[in-house]
Amino acid sequence: MAQTAFAPWDDPEAKPLIEFRHVTKRFGDFIAIDDLSLEIYEREFFALLGPSGCGKTTMMRMLAGFEPPSAGTILLSGQDIAPVPPNKRAVNMMFQSYALFPHLTVWDNIAFGLKRDKLPKEAIEARVAEMLKLTRLEKFARRKPHQISGGQRQRVALARSLAKAPKLLLLDEPLGALDKKLRQDTQFELMDIQEKTGTTFVIVTHDQEEAMTVASRVAVMDEGRLIQVDTPDRIYEYPNSVYVADFIGDVNIIEGHAEKSGDGYEVTFAEGQPKLRAKTANGLRGSGRCYLAIRPEKIAISSQEPQDAANAVRGVIDDIAYLGNLSTYYVRLDNGKIIKAQTANTRRIAKRDLTWEDSVWLSWTDTAAVVLEN
Amino acid sequence: MRRLLLISVPYLWLLALFLVPFFIVLKISLSDTALAIPPYTPTLDLGAGWAGLKGFFAELDLENFWFLTTDDLYWKAYLSSVWIALFSTLLTLIVGYPIAYGMAQAREEWRPTLMMLVILPFWTSFLIRVYSWMGILSQEGVLNQFLMWSGVISDPLMILNTNTAVYIGIVYTYLPFMILPIYAALEKLDISLIEAAEDLGCSRFQAFWLVTVPLSKNGIIAGCFLVFIPALGEFVIPSLLGGSQTLMIGKVLWEEFFNNRDWPVASAVAVILLLILIIPIILFQRNEQKQREAEG
Ligand SMILES: Nc1ncnc2c1ncn2[C@@H]1O[C@H](COP(=O)(O)OP(=O)(O)OP(=O)(O)O)[C@@H](O)[C@H]1O
Ligand SMILES: [Mg+2]
């Protein structure tokens, strides 16, 4: 993808479009955003990921101008935006609750922002038609919001926020109510729009696959703080904490005791089990307690003991989850620990040679696991 | 059976409290005056049987309605009532909307108290409240004394016994009927709609005008009808606060009944008033129904 070359966050010269500087937001005693600093660059597709109530919407609302920060500053193109009212910000937001105007038709909802710009009638009509086409709502243009389905409403909200082609677009769970097919199509449309218009997107999503697909960078949040901000592949391959590893995708977390050995660590995790070897770039602060995070698809499963594998452990298949294209094997080790291993189903299910209660070997390379401190 | 009973209750109510009195009034309006008790003929004499009934209906005619067209007073009074009711409804809306808006913007825990304050005047007698306005508005009244004391005016203003006093009285009396439906509509309004409007480039005022007002439209319509309908037939306020030139049909009606003791003409006036009122009442019902459909 073209995005491999796009990495302004690595460029010390690049000026961020949005900058959060030690921003805190309190609601009474409750701290919704906790001393958060963040830079988002122009043309980015920035995804916010995190559990419910972690402050994603609050961040969006501060950017749109509906909530002033309790402390710290937010800069847009280097300017403090605190004194700029929402209607003067080159920012449009798609609300999590859609906030469609119930007294206006779908068409008028989408045209609402364009009319405020005093565009000529033909220009508005053309733009609305374009948006209706994009979101496949042509048939519903004359209906009121209460006369269409939940997914259609979501598309109206999306179309309305896109219509003004703002410099910064905030999308709060824009695709949650859409079916998978339409969601994927819309994701690609969004990426396409982004490429064509150069708009910067900040998107909240609960769907990590979506974040992985569309985002240039992903921020994982928890309780008002950023835990990790990185490109999707790095978030996935090199999570900086057990929290991130666990939040993004499926993972095996093995708790153990690490000792430095060569360019990596040897981890003792249970009595009677071999030490596990893991190379790592980011060293631990010393020897001691650690967590190994290993993705299930990086673990190979076999009935024979594998030759020259860096790590190999024995276990019994406890359960098999068949996901169509993939199967996940739940393997119980001698100490009771369950390890998940995932393989692609390249053969038909009847030909599969592993089944329940089979004794198997699990193996992985010394670079498969990430060593984490906590 | 229970269902039938349940459905019949409102109809019985309507029959007993509206249709029966209406037909009695209609009948009187078709009768002639007489020096008798009651002061009109004919009276229904069921003892006379079929012939009596026939004679009874033969004596009814539209004479009183014709009479209403012969004297300017009546149509002028109707017209002036409509005008006064319309104008005071508008004033009530202008005064009531900001109050309702303020209430809906107030903090949640304050709202019941504010609502209470709006309803509070109903706890004292309507007549007493109108009399107090006489005390406030008269030439020696509180208002004039205050204005003269503060030096705004040097001669007392003539407010009492003018149409201005009638407007003040109607606005004051019917304000809660305007505030409550508008407040109910505004309270339901989702604040994120205003935010969305501002996000799309509206100023505060534009957002108010393009979102808040249309979404409180049903409250406004309900409030206007609730003020206009009783104001049209209002009698107490124009007779106590209004002057000799204040012409309202309620006052005319009262004078026909009690000063002239002309019950048939008075009834004819009442029937016409009701017919005038039926138009806005039907419109009101239609609005309510449309609203229910939109919400359901
Ligand atoms: N106006 C408010 N007053 C008090 N607390 C608030 C207010 N708005 C948000 N909060 C609190 O701040 C926290 C963050 O809320 P926010 O809406 O940002 O969550 P979120 O990450 O968007 O969650 P979700 O994924 O469920 O949408 C929540 O605990 C919420 O209860
Ligand atoms: Mg949210």
Side-chain angles (χ1 to χ4, degrees), chain A residues 61 64 66 86-87 91-93 95 97 99-103 109 112-113 116 118 146 160 164, chain B residues 190 192-204 206-207 210-211 214-215 293-295:
Chain A
R61 290 174 57 79
F66 303 128
N87 57 331
V91 176
N92 281 147
M93 173 152 165
F95 289 71
S97 61
L100 299 179
F101 303 120
H103 59 297
N109 262 284
F112 191 90
R116 303 288 84 73
K118 304 244 168 8
H146 67 94
R160 188 178 68 178
K164 287 185 85 170
Chain B
D190 182 1
S192 66
L193 294 178
I194 307 298
E195 290 179 343
E198 285 184 35
D199 188 63
L200 292 165
C202 282
S203 64
R204 278 277 159 87
Q206 277 178 316
L210 292 169
V211 179
L215 287 177
E293 272 163 19
E295 279 168 8

Side-chain angles (χ1 to χ4, degrees), chain A residues 52-58 60 96 172-173 204 206:
Chain A
S52 186
C54 70
K56 304 179 297 290
T57 299
T58 306
M60 297 281 217
Q96 194 170 10
D172 201 345
E173 296 198 36
V204 168
H206 276 291

Side-chain angles (χ1 to χ4, degrees), chain A residues 232-253:
Chain A
D233 55 322
R234 287 194 59 85
I235 288 261
Y236 190 79
E237 301 287 350
Y238 304 101
N240 68 359
S241 59
V242 175
Y243 180 83
V244 173
D246 206 21
F247 194 80
I248 305 283
D250 220 357
V251 74
N252 294 294
I253 303 285

